Amino acid sequence: MSARELHFINVTLPLSDERGLFELKAVGGRWTSIVPQETVLSGDGSFVPMSALAGEMSRLKAAGRIDLQGYMMLPGFVDAHMHLDKAYSLSQVGNASGTLLEAIANYGAAAPSFSKEDIRGRIRKAALRALSYGTTTIRTHLDFRLRSGIEVAFRTIYAALEVREELKGIVDMQLFPMCPYDRLTTAEQDAIEEALRLGMDGMGGAPHLSETPESDIDRIFATAARWGKPIDLHADESDDPSKQTVAYIAEKAVEYGYGGKVTVDHLCSLSAMDTRRAEEIIGRIKATGLSAVTLPPVNMYLQGRGDSGLIRRGTTRIRELLDAQVPLAVASDNIQDPFHPFGQGDLLKIGLVTAYAAHMGSSADLHALLRMMTEVPAGILGLTGYGIAEGHSADFVLIDALRADDLFTELPVGRTVYKQGRPLYTSVQQSAWGLEELDRTEEQAQYRLA
Ligand SMILES: [Zn+2]
C-alpha cells in the first residue's frame, strides 16, 4: 500500500452527527469511504496502533493502515484571522501601554527596519507553528502602510506571496492587505490596485481607526467589487460604543450585493453599547449575510485599558451572535508581537480562552467552539471540499483525546497533521499516545458504542 493510500479504523469523529467509531479510507489524498462501525474492530495484524507510532515521523509516513484506538480525527483547523507578518516581532517592537493604538504606532515606526527576508522568515515560522497544532489553512492580514513608503509596504506583500507559494499544499494561505485609510492619494490607490494585481486574495483594513471611515469603506467596496475580491475588515475593535462602522459596512454590502463576501472582525464595541442597539446591529449583520470573527485573547489583552476595578473583557457579544446564527469563527490574531505578547497559533487554546470569555462550558458549547475553528471559518474562507466526507481532500489532524471535553481540558500536545493525505507533522514528544493501557477498549465501549 503506497503512503497515499490510507485506511484508519476505530476513529472518533467529534464533528459527526453520528456517535460511535468509524472506518475511513483515502486514496490519492481524497476520502473515498467513511463508514460507521458496529463494534471496535480488532484489525488483522496489518494495522499499526497509533500509540505505537508516537511521534515517529518516518514510521508514520510508511504506515498506511492505522488503528486509531478511539482517538479523534478533526478536519484541519482553519485560522480565519492571523497577522503572520507581525508574528515574533515582540523582541524588536514593544508596547509599554498595552493599547491597540501604541501597538499600531510602534509597529509602524519599526516597519522600515524589517527586510523582506525578516518578514518572510516570520510568516513562514508562524504558519508552520500553526500547522504543528493542526491548522492547515490560514487567512492572514498584512501590514500595508503606504505612508512608510511604497517600497516598505511592498516588502510585506512580496514576502507573503513567496511564502504562500512555498507552503502551498502544506498550509494554504489567503492574503488580505490592510488597506490604508484617510484621504488616499492617487499614487496610494494605484499601489492598492498593484497589490491586488500581484495576487492578493481580498481586501482588508480597519476603517474604525480612520477620521473618515465612511469614505474609506466606500473606496474599499468600490475597489473590491471592481476586482471581484472578498472584503475582510477589522471592525470596531474598541471599547467606545459610538464606534459602529459595522452598520455602514452592512449598508454597503447590501448596495453591492456583497453580503456573502464580507467578513467583520472583532466587533468589540458591540459589548460596550446598550443591548437594544447591539441587537439591532446583530440583526442587520445576520440579515445582510455578513460573517464574523471573534479574537478573544487579543481583545482581553488590548481592550479595557481605560477601565479600573471591573475591567471589561473587550470581546464581542459571542453568545448573542451565535444565537442569531451569524457565522462566527474564532481565530488567533497576533502571536508574540506588540499587539499580543503570547500565543502560538494553537486554535484549541484560543477556543479555551473563548470558553472562559463567553461562559461556554456545556457539551453543546464545546461542540460550537469546535465548529468555530473548523467548518465555520472554512465557509468564511470559501473553501470547497472541506471536512471529513467522501470526495473531500484528506486534510486532518489526529488528536490525543478520546472525548470532546478532553480537547479543551487537556489541550493535548499529541497532534499529527495530514494534508492531502500526506503526514506533515507529528508531535516529537512521547505524548500520551504512549501512555498505554488506559483500558481504551472499555472506554470506547462505554462512551462510543453503548
Ligand atoms: Zn487583526
Side-chain angles (χ1 to χ4, degrees):
M1 178 179 277
S2 89
R4 284 302 187 96
E5 288 178 40
L6 297 171
H7 187 172
F8 293 97
I9 56 173
N10 301 322
V11 181
T12 298
L13 297 176
L15 287 175
S16 172
D17 296 333
E18 287 179 67
R19 299 185 59 200
L21 296 168
F22 289 80
E23 179 175 10
L24 298 93
K25 292 178 186 168
V27 177
R30 292 199 173 269
W31 293 117
T32 52
S33 160
I34 297 163
V35 182
Q37 295 173 197
E38 297 287 321
T39 60
V40 176
L41 297 180
S42 59
D44 57 6
S46 64
F47 285 84
V48 186
M50 191 65 204
S51 56
L53 291 171
E56 286 190 44
M57 199 60 203
S58 55
R59 292 191 62 209
L60 189 77
K61 277 184 175 164
R65 297 159 75 86
I66 298 176
D67 176 356
L68 223 57
Q69 301 171 298
Y71 284 109
M72 288 192 170
M73 178 188 288
L74 282 162
F77 299 150
V78 179
D79 205 319
H81 182 133
M82 297 185 91
H83 292 266
L84 298 175
D85 55 328
K86 295 184 169 109
Y88 308 109
S89 63
L90 184 64
S91 59
Q92 290 129 298
V93 192
N95 180 359
S97 68
T99 59
L100 174 62
L101 294 181
E102 186 182 333
I104 292 170
N106 291 358
Y107 190 86
S113 70
F114 298 131
S115 68
K116 188 183 80 175
E117 287 64 37
D118 294 335
I119 301 164
R120 193 172 56 200
R122 297 200 305 244
I123 294 172
R124 196 174 183 281
K125 177 178 170 181
L128 291 176
R129 194 91 162 98
L131 173 76
S132 77
Y133 289 109
T135 293
T136 52
T137 308
I138 292 169
R139 176 177 286 181
T140 183
H141 296 262
L142 297 173
D143 202 60
F144 192 54
R145 216 170 309 215
L146 292 166
R147 303 273 151 95
S148 303
I150 285 190
E151 190 269 327
V152 170
F154 274 88
R155 280 180 208 164
T156 302
I157 299 292
Y158 286 119
L161 285 167
E162 287 172 17
V163 183
R164 184 180 69 183
E165 187 58 30
E166 182 196 349
L167 297 185
K168 194 183 279 176
I170 296 172
V171 195
D172 291 325
M173 291 166 53
Q174 293 188 356
L175 309 178
F176 279 62
M178 304 270 295
C179 292
Y181 41 80
D182 287 338
R183 299 172 198 89
L184 280 197
T185 63
T186 311
E188 288 170 336
Q189 176 65 25
D190 289 348
I192 292 171
E193 309 239 1
E194 173 65 5
L196 290 168
R197 195 188 62 73
L198 286 170
M200 296 293 104
D201 296 285
M203 288 184 72
H208 65 280
L209 296 169
S210 168
E211 284 170 20
T212 56
E214 296 198 351
S215 61
D216 292 336
I217 293 165
D218 289 346
R219 182 176 40 76
I220 288 169
F221 271 89
T223 309
R226 204 160 51 245
W227 285 80
K229 297 286 186 186
I231 294 170
D232 190 327
L233 296 173
H234 289 63
D236 310 326
E237 185 180 0
S238 167
D239 295 321
D240 175 357
S242 73
K243 296 282 184 196
Q244 300 186 7
T245 60
V246 63
Y248 190 70
I249 292 167
E251 245 176 69
K252 297 308 282 188
V254 171
E255 190 185 317
Y256 279 85
Y258 237 59
K261 294 177 83 172
V262 178
T263 307
V264 283
D265 312 321
H266 290 293
L267 303 171
C268 307
S269 70
L270 265 188
S271 292
M273 67 184 69
D274 72 77
T275 296
R276 215 158 123 196
R277 176 63 181 152
E279 281 171 353
E280 255 175 50
I281 290 180
I282 290 170
R284 206 174 297 177
I285 291 171
K286 174 64 184 167
T288 311
L290 306 185
S291 300
V293 181
T294 184
L295 306 128
V298 171
N299 296 151
M300 291 173 84
Y301 186 74
L302 290 175
Q303 302 300 314
R305 292 279 172 170
D307 296 349
S308 59
L310 275 178
I311 295 167
R312 286 172 288 173
R313 298 174 186 213
T315 52
T316 189
R317 293 185 184 243
I318 293 168
R319 178 75 67 186
E320 291 93 326
L321 286 161
L322 290 173
D323 287 348
Q325 298 189 315
V326 172
L328 179 69
V330 284
S332 290
D333 214 358
N334 298 80
I335 295 176
Q336 300 174 41
D337 67 13
F339 298 79
H340 184 228
F342 312 119
Q344 309 86 354
D346 180 359
L347 277 176
L348 282 183
K349 287 185 189 139
I350 301 292
L352 175 62
V353 176
T354 304
Y356 276 104
H359 292 159
M360 296 174 78
S362 70
S363 292
D365 287 338
L366 299 184
H367 189 260
L369 281 169
L370 277 185
R371 292 195 63 248
M372 289 165 77
M373 58 186 71
T374 52
E375 294 166 354
V376 176
I380 292 174
L381 269 64
L383 305 184
T384 52
Y386 176 83
I388 298 169
E390 286 174 20
H392 290 186
S393 181
D395 297 1
F396 57 92
V397 51
L398 308 177
I399 303 190
D400 188 357
L402 288 164
R403 288 181 299 270
D405 300 6
D406 292 344
L407 294 174
F408 297 101
T409 52
E410 302 292 338
L411 299 173
V413 290
R415 308 206 197 165
T416 299
V417 189
Y418 285 69
K419 181 98 172 165
Q420 296 167 5
R422 272 192 308 155
L424 292 176
Y425 176 86
T426 188
S427 314
V428 287
Q429 309 168 50
Q430 292 288 323
S431 70
W433 292 119
L435 285 181
E436 281 310 291
E437 314 319 326
L438 280 173
D439 203 355
R440 281 190 198 92
T441 312
E442 204 164 277
E443 224 175 305
Q444 285 156 355
Q446 250 174 298
Y447 289 101
R448 303 289 158 210
L449 297 171

